[in-house]
Amino acid sequence: MNSAMNTTTPLCLLFDCDGTLVDSEILLAEVMGEILPEFGLPFSARQYMDEFRGVRFHTIVQTLESRFQALEEGQFVQLEAGMRARMEARMRAELVAIPGMPDALEQLNSHPKAVVSNGPERKIRCALESTELGHHFASRLFSAYTLNVWKPDPELYLKAAAAMGYSPAACVVIDDAAVGVEAGLAAGMHVIHLNHFPNQEVTPTGAIGIHHASELPAAIARLSTTTPA
């Protein structure tokens, strides 16, 4: 296993998907804002962006049930299936990459990369196909639904690092959401917080804050020179 960075072993980059690689968060917010009220759970797109960005769908529904009313037996399966179908249709029709991310990935082509997401693998693949970013990652996709562990639990990133053959110290987490940043820090990894809302969100101590994907290659280069061999 590669325990640290040196001249022949570049840092392993573990990318979140939604909001980090692809600009899907507003689409998901709108889909949830449409479908959750249909099942008696008041919700808005703004509420997702303010309170639940990056959080597991099941956790969001459980939180809303505790605030309002419980779903009837079998309704969650119907709700989730409807949400996934609507979201996939929106992604295939409208999804774009985060500005600056395609060029950043090209500049970072010497680094091993993987996608580590709280979303299902089908959604990850749909996102990468829709934005033509898939060739950067091949089959190196790690879904919380497949591994049965969700951010902010650091185990999701730890399992991805182990599968990639890297120790936590040799990995960099790139994530836009608080749950992902928390998971990466808890895993003992370098963390770059792609902070889209600097006037509203504070990058936690221990993480590196950037505001645009174009800043990513330089941030990785600085980590590469300061990580001991």
Side-chain angles (χ1 to χ4, degrees), residues 77-161:
V77 174
Q78 181 183 358
L79 168 59
E80 183 171 28
M83 183 275 290
R84 299 290 178 202
R86 294 187 195 187
M87 184 60 187
E88 182 166 331
R90 291 286 302 270
M91 290 169 69
R92 294 200 179 279
E94 305 171 48
L95 189 64
V96 296
I98 289 291
M101 188 56 73
D103 184 59
L105 291 171
E106 291 292 345
Q107 292 184 53
L108 294 166
N109 61 8
S110 65
H111 290 264
K113 304 177 191 66
V115 180
V116 186
S117 172
N118 265 0
E121 187 170 327
R122 176 174 176 139
K123 182 184 176 189
I124 301 170
R125 292 188 182 280
C126 177
L128 297 178
E129 289 169 5
S130 298
T131 55
E132 299 184 346
L133 297 180
H135 64 283
H136 292 289
F137 303 98
S139 59
R140 300 182 296 275
L141 312 179
F142 299 93
S143 164
Y145 284 79
T146 302
L147 297 175
N148 199 36
V149 60
W150 282 259
K151 307 172 197 176
D153 191 328
E155 191 64 20
L156 181 59
Y157 275 121
L158 290 171
K159 286 185 175 183

Side-chain angles (χ1 to χ4, degrees), residues 46-64:
R46 173 48 55 188
Q47 189 175 357
Y48 173 80
M49 297 299 291
D50 289 346
E51 185 178 357
F52 293 107
R53 196 159 49 84
V55 176
R56 180 187 179 188
F57 181 65
H58 189 248
T59 301
I60 296 173
V61 173
Q62 286 181 319
T63 302
L64 296 177

Side-chain angles (χ1 to χ4, degrees), residues 167-186:
S167 70
C171 293
V172 184
V173 165
I174 302 99
D175 208 309
D176 72 301
V179 292
V181 173
E182 179 183 340
L185 291 172

Side-chain angles (χ1 to χ4, degrees), residues 25-44:
E25 295 286 36
I26 189 58
L27 299 182
L28 181 59
E30 291 174 354
V31 167
M32 288 192 185
E34 293 169 358
I35 199 167
L36 285 165
E38 294 175 11
F39 286 77
L41 299 175
F43 197 73
S44 68

